[in-house]
């Protein structure tokens, strides 16, 4: 523990000595540095004064023989400093010691024996000081043998990192998901947002919205962990909103139930007609979507995603797409295990089925926790394939799904490794240009990831992006300059390339007439270009200075010519 505190203090001191406000870093990075520094200072402030006297008292007793007498004054100091002033506390400590005996080998037997003797002597001392404490605690202490037999100890449990808020580092009581896919304690992230921040504290990604989605899955896991470790579970936030109820008539409900019976029929023609009708009913209105889900259709449709009949498969995935329009159904579809089946259709289905599978993944990924699940089941690679070889509609479905999934930082690297950047560059340079908006939007997200930045630079994107800044729509100019800001961050090669393409005029125009984000990004890019130009001038001026001095000396030592006299 002392070593840990020493390292923490050293890190805090080192970071405090860095004048990061003078460095060429963004406001978002500065905020991250301040956050890390405050965490180090907080950890440093929590360090307790080392219990030197306590250590010496324990060592003095431990080093004595088992039968040796112990000074009562020392025992009093021990029970007070260790907060073992009651029989219950000592019994609990004994139970923990017995549990340790069952969980370890014989190599520490002597030490455990000595520790047991110390505990017994402390117990005798406490009983001598307060004789009545024994009778009041005997019933509670009788359970020790049963607990020890299972190896249960009473050490304070270590909170898993996933259960701690990345901001406060405390156990989360009301975990919520932000648009980047990260989870925080509600009160902590609300304070962060109220302070004017617009980035994810953990990933530095710009948040597309301030929506906070309760992470009920994590809250349940935290509650289970608390119960298993004897920790008071966090109080649940307000109850879940009431699910929508269907306004369908009894006759319509009866029809839906009949269709569900056909879904489980052994006749392929029954399953085909039933999935087709459910597909149309779910498309028609919200009441039907609620009623179909309430009747239990979702698990049945999920089972049909793996059917060899391509027509049934297409109807099933499209029905799930239509059902997912209802917010309450999104979670039900994912918890029913639909994602692997949808990904299977995306890989193997007909073109229309693949398009609808991509659209379904986009719809489901609106819920941030689903972004992680969908990425985990390998959806990104087939989406990139569809983006490359699909119909125009299929490409748009794939692009919207990829955009949504790549909002989550963990999916960006997967998309880059799946080859999305070359495909996006191809879409940017197509003669018809029907996918420029989507391609630039995805590139703007990927550029913030190290792998994405490298892949975009390697794909020769700079000339294409400069052309968009000069001739594109306001939104496309905004995304193009955002990508260039990332490419030119710490990369002189790209800055030189941008300068050679004469982008200054379009950038200045964007600063004056662009969108708010476009103005901000264009200003950042201009600052980096100008800063690099200033850095290049310095060595040249330093190299020319001795030459200028030498010429000046020679002129001052030689007599002026007649021409010089006339000029003067």
């Amino acid at each position: 523990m002392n070593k840990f505190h020493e390292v923490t203090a050293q890190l805090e001191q080192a970071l405090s000595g860095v004048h990061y406000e003078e460095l060429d870093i963004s406001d978002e990075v500065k905020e991250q540095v301040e956050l890390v520094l405050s965490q180090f200072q907080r950890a440093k402030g929590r360090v307790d004064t080392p219990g030197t006297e306590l250590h010496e008292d324990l060592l003095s007793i431990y080093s004595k023989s088992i039968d040796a007498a112990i000074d009562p004054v020392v025992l009093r100091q021990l029970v007070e400093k260790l907060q073992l002033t009651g029989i219950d506390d000592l019994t609990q400590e004994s139970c923990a010691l017995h549990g340790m005996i069952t969980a370890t080998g014989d190599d520490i037997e002597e030490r455990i024996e000595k520790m047991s003797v110390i505990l017994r002597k402390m117990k005798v001392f406490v009983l001598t000081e307060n004789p009545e404490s024994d009778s009041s605690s005997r019933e509670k202490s009788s359970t020790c043998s049963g607990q020890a037999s299972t190896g249960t100890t009473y050490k304070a449990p270590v909170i898993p990192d996933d259960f701690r808020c990345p901001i406060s580092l405390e156990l989360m009581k009301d975990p919520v998901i932000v648009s980047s896919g990260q989870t925080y304690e509600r009160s902590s992230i609300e304070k962060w947002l109220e302070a004017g921040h617009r980035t994810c504290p953990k990933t530095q990604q710009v948040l597309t919205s301030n929506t906070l989605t309760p992470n009920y899955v994590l809250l349940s896991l935290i509650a289970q962990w608390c119960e298993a470790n004897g920790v008071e579970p966090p109080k649940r936030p307000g109850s879940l909103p009431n699910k929508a109820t269907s306004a369908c008539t009894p006759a319509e409900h009866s029809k839906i139930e009949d269709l569900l019976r056909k879904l489980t029929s052994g006749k392929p023609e029954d399953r085909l007609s039933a999935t087709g009708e459910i597909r149309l009913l779910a498309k028609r209105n919200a009441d039907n979507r609620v009623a179909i889900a309430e009747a239990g259709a979702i698990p049945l449709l999920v089972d049909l995603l793996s059917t060899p009949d391509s027509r049934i498969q297409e109807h099933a995935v499209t029905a799930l797409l239509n059902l997912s329009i209802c917010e309450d159904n999104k979670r039900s579809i994912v918890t029913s295990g639909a994602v692997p089946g949808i990904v299977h259709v995306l890989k193997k289905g007909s073109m229309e089925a693949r398009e609808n599978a991509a659209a379904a993944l986009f719809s489901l990924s609106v819920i941030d926790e689903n972004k992680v699940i969908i990425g985990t089941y390998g959806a990104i690679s087939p989406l990139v394939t569809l983006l490359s070889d699909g119909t125009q509609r299929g490409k748009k479905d794939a692009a919207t799904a990829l955009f949504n999934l790549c909002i989550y930082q963990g999916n960006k690297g997967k998309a880059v490794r799946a080859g999305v950047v070359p495909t996006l560059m191809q879409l940017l340079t197509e003669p018809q240009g029907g996918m420029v908006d989507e391609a630039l939007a995805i590139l703007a997200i990927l550029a913030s990831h190290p792998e994405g930045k490298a892949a975009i630079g390697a794909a020769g994107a700079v000339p294409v992006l400069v052309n968009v800044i000069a001739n594109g729509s306001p939104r496309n100019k905004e995304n193009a300059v955002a990508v260039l800001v990332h490419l030119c961050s710490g990369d002189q090669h790209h800055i030189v390339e941008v300068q050679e393409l004469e982008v200054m005029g379009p950038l200045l125009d964007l600063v004056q007439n662009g969108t708010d984000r476009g103005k901000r990004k264009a200003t950042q890019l201009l600052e980096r270009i100008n800063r690099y130009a200033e850095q290049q001038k310095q060595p040249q001026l330093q190299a020319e200075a001795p030459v200028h001095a030498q010429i000046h000396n020679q002129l001052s030592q030689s007599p002026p010519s007649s021409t010089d006299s006339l000029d003067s």
Side-chain angles (χ1 to χ4, degrees):
M1 186 179 294
N2 285 336
K3 288 291 185 183
F4 172 79
H5 290 317
E6 287 174 9
V7 172
T8 300
Q10 290 170 6
L11 287 170
E12 187 269 336
Q13 183 179 4
L15 194 55
S16 297
V18 177
H19 300 291
Y20 57 87
E21 66 277 0
E22 299 177 4
L23 301 177
D24 180 22
I25 55 178
S26 65
D27 292 338
E28 289 86 351
V29 177
K30 289 180 181 178
E31 291 167 1
Q32 292 298 313
V33 175
E34 291 171 357
L35 177 64
V36 173
L37 182 58
S38 65
Q39 294 290 0
F40 280 136
Q41 291 170 340
R42 182 179 178 185
K44 181 182 175 183
R46 286 180 175 177
V47 177
D48 297 325
T49 304
T52 307
E53 294 180 3
L54 174 61
H55 177 262
E56 291 175 352
D57 290 341
L58 277 172
L59 194 61
S60 66
I61 297 174
Y62 185 81
S63 59
K64 291 182 179 180
S65 64
I66 292 175
D67 299 328
I70 301 177
D71 186 349
V73 176
V74 175
L75 280 172
R76 182 186 299 279
Q77 292 174 349
L78 280 180
V79 297
E80 290 176 355
K81 291 178 181 177
L82 294 174
Q83 299 181 9
L84 299 174
T85 56
I87 297 300
D88 284 348
D89 300 326
L90 287 160
T91 301
Q92 198 174 70
E93 195 73 15
S94 298
C95 291
L97 186 60
H98 285 295
M100 192 167 67
I101 293 172
T102 63
T104 55
D106 296 333
D107 55 327
I108 62 169
E109 183 177 352
E110 183 182 354
R111 280 187 284 162
I112 290 180
E113 185 179 2
K114 285 189 175 183
M115 291 160 65
S116 300
V117 171
I118 294 174
L119 279 174
R120 285 201 298 271
K121 291 187 176 183
M122 292 171 69
K123 186 174 183 179
V124 170
F125 173 79
V126 171
L127 287 173
T128 303
E129 293 284 306
N130 185 13
E132 296 181 358
S133 62
D134 185 38
S135 59
S136 62
S137 302
R138 192 169 294 158
E139 183 178 350
K140 294 180 182 178
S141 63
S142 63
T143 60
C144 180
S145 60
Q147 290 169 330
S149 65
T150 60
T152 302
T153 69
Y154 287 86
K155 293 169 65 177
V158 178
I159 301 173
D161 290 341
D162 291 341
F163 295 172
R164 293 179 184 270
C165 172
I167 298 175
S168 68
L169 301 181
E170 303 291 345
L171 180 68
M172 287 186 276
K173 298 179 180 178
D174 186 5
V176 293
I177 306 169
V178 297
S179 62
S180 65
Q182 300 295 324
T183 297
Y184 299 93
E185 173 65 26
R186 182 185 293 275
S187 59
S188 297
I189 193 64
E190 283 179 346
K191 288 179 182 177
W192 173 265
L193 296 173
E194 288 169 2
H197 301 294
R198 291 295 175 264
T199 57
C200 172
K202 192 171 182 180
T203 66
Q204 304 177 28
Q205 179 182 340
V206 177
L207 299 175
T208 57
S209 74
N210 289 345
T211 303
L212 303 178
T213 305
N215 193 336
Y216 293 111
V217 175
L218 182 59
L219 182 63
S220 176
L221 292 174
I222 291 174
Q224 293 174 24
W225 177 85
C226 289
E227 185 177 352
N229 289 274
V231 178
E232 183 179 356
K235 294 181 180 178
R236 286 183 175 272
S239 58
L240 285 167
N242 293 328
K243 285 191 173 183
T245 55
S246 170
C248 290
T249 65
E252 290 170 326
H253 278 292
S254 177
K255 179 180 179 181
I256 292 171
E257 290 173 358
D258 182 56
L259 290 174
L260 263 57
R261 282 192 291 271
K262 288 184 177 181
L263 286 182
T264 58
S265 169
K267 298 179 180 179
E269 58 270 22
D270 285 346
R271 293 199 299 272
L272 178 61
S273 63
T275 51
E277 287 192 58
I278 290 174
R279 168 184 178 173
L280 294 175
L281 284 173
K283 183 179 180 180
R284 190 168 300 163
N285 57 54
D287 287 333
N288 286 349
R289 289 189 277 273
V290 173
I292 291 169
E294 286 178 346
I298 291 175
L300 300 177
L301 291 169
V302 170
D303 290 340
L304 293 174
L305 293 174
S306 57
T307 181
D309 190 317
S310 61
R311 293 174 300 169
I312 295 176
Q313 190 182 73
E314 179 185 315
H315 287 329
V317 75
T318 310
L320 288 171
L321 164 62
N322 295 336
L323 289 173
S324 72
I325 297 171
C326 174
E327 290 300 311
D328 289 333
N329 289 345
K330 293 186 194 301
R331 296 183 189 276
S332 300
I333 291 171
V334 173
T335 55
S336 296
V339 174
I342 295 174
V343 173
H344 171 74
V345 176
L346 185 62
K347 292 177 179 178
K348 305 293 185 181
S350 64
M351 180 54 71
E352 184 174 354
R354 290 170 64 195
E355 292 170 352
N356 291 338
L361 291 176
F362 164 72
S363 177
L364 296 174
S365 64
V366 169
I367 298 177
D368 289 322
E369 60 201 63
N370 290 349
K371 292 179 174 65
V372 183
I373 297 171
I374 293 169
T376 301
Y377 280 105
I380 291 176
S381 183
L383 283 172
V384 172
T385 301
L386 183 61
L387 183 65
S388 175
D389 61 17
T391 64
Q392 190 67 12
R393 179 196 158 200
K395 290 180 178 181
K396 286 190 176 292
D397 288 332
T400 52
L402 284 167
F403 176 85
N404 228 26
L405 291 172
C406 288
I407 291 174
Y408 170 57
Q409 186 77 356
N411 287 334
K412 294 179 182 179
K414 295 176 182 177
V416 173
R417 290 188 289 275
V420 71
V421 171
T423 300
L424 293 172
M425 293 305 304
Q426 182 180 349
L427 295 176
L428 279 180
T429 55
E430 282 181 347
Q432 60 270 28
M435 294 287 293
V436 174
D437 295 357
E438 293 85 352
L440 283 169
I442 299 172
L443 285 173
I445 291 181
L446 295 176
S448 64
H449 190 277
E451 291 183 54
K453 175 182 172 180
I456 295 170
V462 173
V464 179
L465 295 171
V466 170
N467 181 60
V468 172
I469 294 173
N471 304 305
S473 66
R475 182 60 183 273
N476 288 343
K477 289 181 179 182
E478 171 188 319
N479 283 325
V481 75
V483 177
L484 282 179
V485 167
H486 286 291
L487 291 181
C488 294
S489 176
D491 194 320
Q492 297 180 355
H493 169 73
H494 290 311
I495 294 178
V496 173
E497 190 177 5
V498 168
Q499 285 179 310
E500 292 174 350
L501 291 170
E502 300 181 354
V503 75
M504 301 299 284
L507 282 178
L508 290 172
D509 180 68
L510 189 58
V511 169
Q512 295 176 348
N513 305 311
T515 63
D516 289 342
R517 178 168 173 257
K519 291 176 180 179
R520 188 171 67 254
K521 294 297 180 182
T523 301
Q524 290 178 2
L525 185 56
L526 284 169
E527 288 175 350
R528 288 179 181 173
I529 293 172
N530 291 333
R531 192 178 298 112
Y532 174 74
E534 291 296 327
Q535 291 172 351
Q536 295 301 109
K537 288 179 181 178
Q538 294 302 321
Q540 182 178 355
L541 292 174
Q542 292 173 1
E544 292 174 352
V547 177
H548 291 160
Q550 185 177 1
I551 294 172
H552 175 76
N553 291 335
Q554 291 176 349
L555 290 174
S556 62
Q557 294 172 4
S558 59
S561 64
S562 58
T563 306
D564 293 332
S565 301
L566 291 172
D567 289 342
S568 62

